[in-house]
Amino acid sequence: MLAPPSALPATPVPVASAPSGTSLAFDGSTIDGGWYTDVTQLARHSGHLLNDVMSAWSSYGLALFALLMLVVWWRARRADAATMARALAVPLVVVLVYGVDMILKSVVREVRPCRSIPHSFTLESCPAPSDWAFPSNHTVIAFSAATALLLLDRKLGALAFLAAVAMGFSRIWVGAHYPHDVAAGALVGVLVALPLAAASGRAAPWVERARSGRLRPLLAAD
């Protein structure tokens, strides 16, 4: 159980520069540092239960998207080969989008707000100086998964998008990201995942062939 806000005083965090041997990192506090501070101050003055829920969701909420992936795969066993191909591609799409996110992180090199803004209040330990903030990894993963799921099932996709919005907001609430980190994560997740997920149906011929082999129990419901 995470410590309550009263046990997490906002101690000064030195303004960070890039690790030794690298160029100066980007300070995103001038973009929306005020909004970040407003949200984290709400967290400071909120009850223990709300903060525990937000922290738990921020840390473990991505498990819901993994569960939804399993659900669409299971349902796709009774669907056509193109649907199964898209269902199988969801985790691959997320991995590919995550790779794009990591490239962006290494290019922008934005210092975490808990290191750029003195006296920041956070519900999580401030990440290492080399753990860049832009875009938000959790948000990218959540929105890329939601996008791929939406193309398979509108109801599950809508649920996934609501969960993705909650994930993004929780990352600001716990003090890990600026709002623009989350907004960028959502855009990257949707814009990169959409064409990848749409194209994944082209793998239907491979799925059809696999359904006649040893993998049939995983790909079709007899």
Side-chain angles (χ1 to χ4, degrees):
M1 181 70 68
L2 291 170
S6 58
L8 290 168
T11 55
V13 179
V15 176
S17 60
S20 58
T22 61
S23 59
L24 184 65
F26 173 64
D27 179 2
S29 61
T30 57
I31 299 175
D32 51 14
W35 291 359
Y36 166 83
T37 301
D38 289 342
V39 174
T40 55
Q41 286 304 305
L42 283 176
R44 179 198 291 272
H45 299 293
S46 294
H48 300 170
L49 178 60
L50 175 58
N51 281 336
D52 284 346
V53 170
M54 294 293 280
S55 296
W57 176 251
S58 176
S59 298
Y60 308 114
L62 292 180
L64 173 64
F65 298 92
L67 178 60
L68 293 178
M69 292 179 199
L70 289 174
V71 171
V72 296
W73 159 73
W74 185 258
R75 291 181 176 180
R77 294 166 65 248
R78 299 184 180 279
D80 57 30
T83 300
M84 175 55 80
R86 288 193 292 271
L88 293 173
V90 174
L92 178 59
V93 167
V94 172
V95 169
L96 291 174
V97 178
Y98 178 76
V100 172
D101 168 56
M102 294 306 294
I103 293 173
L104 287 173
K105 277 184 176 290
S106 65
V107 171
V108 178
R109 307 169 72 85
E110 181 189 71
V111 177
R112 294 276 180 169
C114 49
R115 294 190 177 276
S116 292
I117 300 178
H119 310 289
S120 293
F121 175 81
T122 65
L123 293 173
E124 294 182 354
S125 298
C126 193
S130 59
D131 188 346
W132 310 115
F134 180 93
S136 162
N137 282 342
H138 286 68
T139 309
V140 165
I141 292 171
F143 275 89
S144 60
T147 300
L149 289 166
L150 185 65
L151 296 184
L152 282 160
D153 188 299
R154 289 186 178 182
K155 290 183 179 180
L156 288 181
L159 172 62
F161 265 101
L162 288 175
V165 171
M167 176 57 69
F169 183 71
S170 74
R171 298 303 290 162
I172 305 171
W173 187 271
V174 301
H177 286 284
Y178 293 110
H180 69 264
D181 298 333
V182 169
L187 284 175
V188 171
V190 172
L191 296 180
V192 180
L194 187 59
L196 293 174
S200 63
R202 297 178 183 177
W206 286 275
V207 172
E208 196 64 59
R209 284 198 292 270
R211 278 179 164 177
S212 61
R214 296 180 179 179
L215 295 178
R216 181 173 180 79
L218 298 175
L219 303 175
D222 294 324

